[in-house]
Amino acid sequence: MEKNKEKAKVLYDMYSFASQNTIISYTGPFDSQVLAVLAANIEYSLSKNPRIRKKIFKIFIELAQNISYYSLEKLDAGDGNEFGIGILIIREFDNHFTFATGNIVDSKKISPVIHKCETINLLDRDSLRQYKRKLRNLPPGIKGGGNIGLVQVALTANNPLDYKLIPLSEEQSFYIINIKIDK
Amino acid sequence: MKDIIIKGSRDSYIIPSVNFNYRNGICELSGESFLEETAKFYSPLLEWIREYTTKVQKPIVFIFKLTYFNTSTSKCILDFLHILKKYEDNGGDVVVNWHYYEDDVDMQDDIEDYIIDTGIKINLFILD
């Protein structure tokens, strides 16, 4: 009985956190069908503000595709395809929106991504555009060429990337990225 | 050569509408492009443009009416523009028109970046 109460409390805490200011929250596999439903939801929920809707939609596509490709936790779709699992929360406050994603990553492979986030946060808008052009002009397969997505996210949001890495074990970490979009 | 006509869709992948016409040289990409397997979608289109500019060698008008695209699509757009610029440098007759929403500042930055990267002239038009 006590245990059930505890479970209920955890569930309620999760609910109160997730529902506060939240427009959309989702945890699970990021397969193409889910992406389509979430995309439609974003369009619908933010239809009153086309400028924000466009920005959030662009950020959504880049970050959701990152989860789909790079999350260590995968759902086997059974047809030879695998989709990354993660969490996404879009929240609205008085003067801004936040867009947060989280997923488990390979601790050994994440350092170039963190390095990219650090670089992005040091650059002003013009330098970011230059950086994006530089990355885009690299031939495919060159080390560091990928992940223009994060540069685009910073450009679209017009705010620095707030990122965190929580170590879960020697091999795995939980990677969180939180973006602020001003109204 | 055959025309390429693809109707855009938002079913599970968001693919743009494509209308490449080899008889009049008018090629249009419109709608939204947020594909996961971008290379798979765009490589036949890039191949078409390569063939047109090397074999047909008639005038070409490339019209962009994309309202949204992801970063992997943005690489493919760069590839289109590089092929067109090369054709123009070799004496080809090339016109690139880009239609965008007036309030879309990010799109204006993107177009400007393409002009810097390729040196191609892009005519700008405002979408209604």
Side-chain angles (χ1 to χ4, degrees):
Chain A
M1 203 59 186
E2 270 308 299
K3 221 170 183 180
N4 279 346
K5 252 189 194 166
E6 268 172 43
K7 270 189 197 160
K9 173 80 170 70
V10 170
L11 213 58
Y12 177 71
D13 286 347
M14 272 169 69
Y15 167 77
S16 342
F17 170 74
S19 61
Q20 242 171 20
N21 302 87
T22 299
I23 303 173
I24 291 167
S25 84
Y26 171 76
T27 312
F30 280 66
D31 59 71
S32 51
Q33 275 159 355
V34 166
L35 294 188
V37 171
L38 286 172
N41 255 298
I42 290 173
E43 299 260 279
Y44 171 74
S45 315
L46 299 166
S47 53
K48 274 187 217 144
N49 193 332
R51 189 183 65 90
I52 295 283
R53 184 186 62 190
K54 195 166 232 175
K55 282 186 181 291
I56 290 193
F57 195 88
K58 281 188 97 161
I59 294 168
F60 161 72
I61 293 287
E62 300 297 338
L63 294 183
Q65 283 182 348
N66 278 354
I67 293 179
S68 187
Y69 295 145
Y70 302 119
S71 174
L72 209 56
E73 219 181 340
K74 302 268 192 213
L75 174 85
D76 187 345
D79 54 2
N81 287 320
E82 277 190 336
F83 298 102
I85 292 173
I87 181 167
L88 170 154
I89 302 179
I90 304 173
R91 305 171 83 193
E92 180 174 5
F93 299 91
D94 288 342
N95 301 313
H96 68 277
F97 288 84
T98 62
F99 192 117
T101 60
N103 59 282
I104 297 177
V105 291
D106 185 334
S107 304
K108 291 187 199 78
K109 289 187 187 154
I110 194 68
S111 69
V113 178
I114 298 300
H115 181 69
K116 191 152 274 171
C117 291
E118 285 164 354
T119 309
I120 288 168
N121 284 350
L122 289 173
L123 301 175
D124 62 21
R125 196 170 174 81
D126 281 340
S127 317
L128 261 184
R129 280 173 63 184
Q130 261 178 41
Y131 185 47
K132 177 179 144 190
R133 291 210 310 275
K134 191 185 118 191
L135 294 178
R136 194 164 59 189
N137 280 306
L138 291 174
I142 293 276
K143 213 177 160 211
N147 247 322
I148 303 177
L150 281 178
V151 183
Q152 186 60 56
V153 164
L155 276 169
T156 308
N158 217 0
N159 271 313
L161 307 172
D162 177 10
Y163 55 92
K164 274 190 186 64
L165 207 55
I166 303 169
L168 303 173
S169 68
E170 246 177 64
E171 293 85 30
Q172 299 188 349
S173 304
F174 194 69
Y175 166 61
I176 301 163
I177 186 147
N178 188 33
I179 323 283
K180 191 172 152 220
I181 304 110
D182 297 313
K183 277 190 182 171
Chain B
M1 255 188 119
K2 279 185 179 158
D3 292 347
I4 300 185
I5 296 170
I6 300 168
K7 199 176 173 298
S9 109
R10 305 195 65 169
D11 291 346
S12 57
Y13 300 105
I14 301 176
I15 61 170
S17 290
V18 182
N19 196 339
F20 287 5
N21 187 315
Y22 82 95
R23 279 154 296 159
N24 61 17
I26 297 176
C27 302
E28 185 171 309
L29 259 183
S30 60
E32 304 167 310
S33 177
F34 284 108
L35 307 103
E36 284 193 77
E37 297 195 54
T38 318
K40 215 176 178 178
F41 181 84
Y42 280 101
S43 62
L45 305 184
L46 288 162
E47 202 39 59
W48 193 99
I49 298 290
R50 264 187 217 107
E51 198 180 327
Y52 185 91
T53 55
T54 51
K55 293 189 182 143
V56 179
Q57 293 192 314
K58 285 202 288 196
I60 185 164
V61 179
F62 206 104
I63 302 164
F64 289 99
K65 282 186 184 169
L66 291 171
T67 50
Y68 283 131
F69 53 85
N70 61 353
T71 47
S72 46
T73 300
S74 86
K75 278 191 177 185
C76 300
I77 295 173
L78 188 63
D79 292 339
F80 278 119
L81 295 173
H82 276 309
I83 297 169
L84 294 170
K85 180 69 170 98
K86 199 174 151 196
Y87 182 48
E88 191 180 56
D89 289 345
N90 292 332
D93 189 346
V94 177
V95 173
V96 181
N97 293 341
W98 198 306
H99 301 249
Y100 68 101
Y101 289 114
E102 197 167 14
D103 59 352
D104 195 345
V105 183
D106 293 336
M107 187 65 84
Q108 290 175 40
D109 286 353
D110 277 327
I111 301 168
E112 210 178 285
D113 285 346
Y114 283 127
I115 296 172
I116 296 171
D117 269 348
T118 60
I120 205 162
K121 183 172 180 274
I122 300 180
N123 305 308
L124 301 179
F125 297 90
I126 304 291
L127 277 171
D128 291 330

